[in-house]
Amino acid sequence: MCRNIKPLFNFDPPATDEEIHDAALQFVRKLSGTTRPSKRNEAAFDRAVRSIAQCARELIDSLETSQPPRDREEEAAKARARSAARFA
């Protein structure tokens, strides 16, 4: 899995459309092997990002959990600690 794609489910506040779009963009970039498509492939690239973002929003909105929502700042602090330990 691409390290830049972050979990977006069960956060307070919920994931924004921008966060979901960014995750979809990273996914399409990973699949296509390019960060910027050629002019010829730009429409297909953009269409894929929109489609995946829509599916991701649908998925996140339909998932259920009995766990309390995670705190974004707390999760970011954990990620920073893991990164510091990994690259120390």
Side-chain angles (χ1 to χ4, degrees), residues 8-86:
L8 297 176
F9 174 61
N10 197 27
F11 277 100
D12 189 28
T16 65
D17 288 338
E18 182 179 345
E19 289 172 313
I20 291 173
H21 175 271
D22 291 346
L25 178 60
Q26 279 299 116
F27 183 71
V28 171
R29 285 175 173 170
K30 187 71 167 185
L31 288 177
S32 67
T34 182
T35 56
R36 294 189 65 208
S38 65
K39 288 288 183 188
R40 172 181 271 179
N41 294 322
E42 192 171 14
F45 193 91
D46 292 342
R47 192 171 46 252
V49 171
R50 282 192 309 274
S51 178
I52 291 169
Q54 181 181 0
C55 290
R57 170 53 75 190
E58 201 173 296
L59 172 66
I60 289 170
D61 289 347
S62 65
L63 292 174
E64 297 178 8
T65 183
S66 60
Q67 298 295 315
R70 295 178 286 179
D71 181 85
R72 288 180 182 275
E73 290 302 318
E74 188 177 306
E75 293 298 319
K78 288 180 191 177
R80 284 190 296 275
R82 284 191 304 271
S83 181
R86 182 176 175 198

